[in-house]
């Protein structure tokens, strides 16, 4: 769907957030500045997290505590600077990513995929003359 403003992206993200049950792993695909972080901010805001939500490019991973019935923490990763998936070892992702009380969002997820992390959702962001396009795909599990 097409977003014509940052506000509209926040609203689309809030609608998506309402479908989350916990344990989801969301890959965010798309070029620089297409709205990936804005989308995560919309999810976090809709769950009552009011502090800054920025791309964790240097810190790799941010944590946003939320007090939803089932979801207690959002994990927000940006792997843009990770050149080798072995660099992910120190994060001990397997201890948290995919747990029922967390929802994980990963910008630039290719290294995570190499590390063996499978997404429950893939969201594609593309900016064009019409606006910012957001395409949400739920991955079917076998
Ligand atoms: N419809 C829209 N949806 C989202 N962002 C928009 C929209 N229109 C304009 N913008 C602007 O585009 C920028 C998107 O930046 P954002 O940080 O969300 O991108 P990103 O995909 O996370 O980039 P990066 O890969 O560098 O982390 C923001 O400055 C935002 O205000
Ligand atoms: Mg970003």
């Amino acid at each position: 769907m097409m977003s014509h403003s940052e506000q509209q992206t926040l609203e689309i993200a809030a609608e998506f957030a309402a479908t989350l049950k916990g344990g989801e792993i969301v890959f965010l695909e798309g070029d620089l500045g297409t709205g990936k972080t804005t989308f995560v901010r919309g999810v976090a805001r809709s769950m009552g997290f009011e502090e800054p939500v920025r791309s964790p490019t240097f810190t790799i991973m941010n944590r946003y505590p939320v007090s939803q019935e089932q979801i207690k923490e959002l994990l927000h990763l940006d792997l843009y600077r990770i050149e080798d998936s072995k660099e992910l070892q120190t994060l001990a992702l397997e201890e948290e990513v995919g747990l029922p009380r967390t929802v994980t969002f990963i910008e630039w997820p290719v290294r995570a995929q190499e590390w063996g992390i499978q997404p429950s959702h893939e969201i594609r962001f593309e900016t064009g003359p019409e606006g910012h396009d957001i395409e949400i795909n739920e991955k079917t599990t076998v």
Side-chain angles (χ1 to χ4, degrees):
M1 75 207 86
M2 199 56 78
S3 165
H4 299 285
S5 66
E6 183 166 346
Q7 182 58 34
Q8 210 176 341
T9 294
L10 297 176
E11 286 164 15
I12 292 166
E15 280 173 34
F16 175 72
T19 71
L20 296 171
K21 295 179 169 53
E24 289 87 353
I25 299 171
V26 183
F27 281 9
L28 307 170
E29 317 253 13
D31 287 342
L32 292 166
T34 48
K36 301 181 294 294
T37 298
T38 304
F39 188 93
V40 178
R41 183 179 305 120
V43 172
R45 290 284 178 268
S46 77
M47 292 187 183
F49 182 79
E50 293 300 337
E51 287 165 53
V53 171
R54 299 196 193 95
S55 234
T57 306
F58 293 97
T59 51
I60 309 299
M61 181 161 78
N62 288 345
R63 301 159 182 282
Y64 312 131
V66 295
S67 41
Q68 299 293 104
E69 201 175 315
Q70 299 169 84
I71 302 166
K72 301 303 177 193
E73 189 169 55
L74 303 180
L75 302 176
H76 181 194
L77 288 90
D78 184 327
L79 306 183
Y80 186 69
R81 283 171 192 282
I82 303 289
E83 285 170 9
D84 188 319
S85 62
K86 290 195 190 81
E87 294 172 49
L88 298 176
Q89 192 153 11
T90 53
L91 291 174
L93 296 178
E94 64 283 358
E95 290 176 12
E96 295 180 279
V97 169
L99 293 194
R101 284 164 175 270
T102 70
V103 177
T104 304
F105 291 88
I106 308 182
E107 301 187 38
W108 303 98
V110 56
R111 300 290 172 251
Q113 193 132 39
E114 287 167 9
W115 191 246
I117 293 173
Q118 297 294 331
S120 62
H121 297 75
E122 259 176 25
I123 308 183
R124 291 183 179 282
F125 297 80
E126 204 168 352
T127 302
E130 306 285 313
H132 289 239
D133 190 35
I134 302 171
E135 188 190 307
I136 300 176
N137 289 298
E138 187 168 355
K139 310 299 281 182
T140 44
T141 45
V142 264

